[in-house]
Amino acid sequence: MNLNNLTIKQALDGLKKKEFSSQDLTRSCLERIKNLEQKLNAFVTICEEDALQEAKRADEAIANGVDKPLLGVPFAIKDNFCTKNIKTTASSKLLDNFIPPYDATVVSKLKDAGIVILGKTNMDAWAHGSSTETSDYGTTKNPWDLNNLPGGSSGGSAASIAADETIGSIGSETAGSIRQPASWCGIVGLKPTYGRISRYGVIAMASSLDCPGPLTKSVEDATLVLNVLAGQDKYDATTSPKVVEDYTKNLGNKIEGLKIGVADDYLENAEEEVRQKVEDALKQFEQLGAKIIRIKLFDPRYAIAVYTILQRAEVSSNLARYDGIRFGFGRDKFGDEAKRRIMLGTYVLSAGYYDQYYSKAQKVRTVIIEDFKRAFKEVDVIVGPTAPSTALSIGASKSSSMFGEMMDILVEPSAIAGLPGISISCGFSKGGLPIGMQIIGPQFSESLILNVGYQYEQNTPWHKEKPKI
Amino acid sequence: MNTLYNMKIDVVKVAKLANLPISDKEVAKLEDQLGETLGFVDKLNEIDTSKVEPTQSVAGLENVTRDDEIEPSLSQEEALKNAKDKTNGFFTVKAIFDES
């Protein structure tokens, strides 16, 4: 049995029963990384020496009866999370020499929980994209078909999970960057409610939208990570004071009588094969006792416009700090995509245009928020396709300067409203590419959407499939 | 050439506001690409927001404060670690004022 194939839950069980050690797990993952990275390019930085030392320390702690929620489990972390003394680049050459002097809250929480850090994963530079193709360190390939993209911006994390280079991984989402690569790579991706997990130490993209979250091999694994990461943080004033529950508690609940909302607008924006698999999933939900209710949601095409303006405006502000004085290289090192976004953002915030664009977008944001509130009076959760298509081929992202925003049409509305959403595999295309379905709930309903996802996952075979890489 | 949007963005002016170095070659390309994006977001004008308040944050929080107490933070050395130019424990920047 290849230990790198294990889930977090299986790894924790095996470590507890002393069937293997954290060093065994870590060596297995590092071996897999060594064999695949030429082809896959999921990592920007691999921390081989440090990982083996951390694993050794974890094994000593386990032997001493120390009990921590993720003790000894190898993780891969998206390269926009500051990791103390480990190069952090956000996949941009501008930060090629940046060594953070501190850990992001997510990282320090994971370290406290006992993880082993395998390395930092590749992403779209500055998280500006839905393909990982805009990375300054080359694109990551999709483990299911190396001619295809893994999605983005958390493409490296998604690919490393799908290819079993790691046991657990962390990504971030502004609008789609966890859910979309999870769907293209056939794995689980959880975007929590905005404010559920701290953004402190995450290289900011759009501060009113960014959400750190887990990308994992199973729904149960996502709950284990959420348990560690959720909670108010004094270093991030936008984190919620809401009590953190045990997200594993409700996984086993039956979903009889659950009201699942489905919007035709969302289905119609997806390709035939994707639509078909989601319709099949809805039938599966009915077999589990849920009720499917057709609902009308605000046209998601407006969400693209809202998101484009808000995100690019906030990006222009957040990226102003990169002046090569305190860290990094000069602003001439920004790539084309970053420059485009900074320019558009600066424009819509400038004198004479603020009301027409930014203020208008914030008002339509209210309309979208109210629309979801209205929908959740009729239904408990909303289900739909995560992405309009399966993984596209390398080069596809260069087709339009709005590529990212167009790809994320189905996830932007819920991101704009700050809602939690989980993407899980619901089948494969004729070409063998994974198809993802997303479950969206009201704010702070992570327990519910994880429960619904788990029930579907455990009653279907998709999560057991692995790419033949 | 983008036909959806009539107004041309003054790319040179915006680049100056954004402190972004752009070449002459990039100006035309950016004019086109930014024009395309603006044409797209024009769609928002179809929605009546005359009676709608803007959303500043979805977090629903107000006045999140902490006590004004000094806590451990980065040392001066740590804070300067990634700087390109340092002088006597300070970040060195380009002069703003003339010495005369």
Side-chain angles (χ1 to χ4, degrees), chain B residues 56-75:
Chain B
Q56 306 290 353
S57 166
V58 294
L61 301 168
E62 276 181 1
N63 300 335
V64 180
T65 59
R66 65 173 176 86
D67 291 334
D68 187 11
E69 282 165 6
I70 298 176
E71 293 180 1
S73 66
L74 292 181
S75 68

Side-chain angles (χ1 to χ4, degrees), chain A residues 28-47:
Chain A
S28 179
C29 290
L30 289 170
E31 187 68 31
R32 179 69 166 162
I33 291 170
K34 210 168 276 181
N35 289 336
L36 280 189
E37 269 302 281
Q38 277 277 23
K39 285 193 277 197
L40 204 59
N41 197 35
F43 284 84
V44 175
T45 301
I46 299 166
C47 307

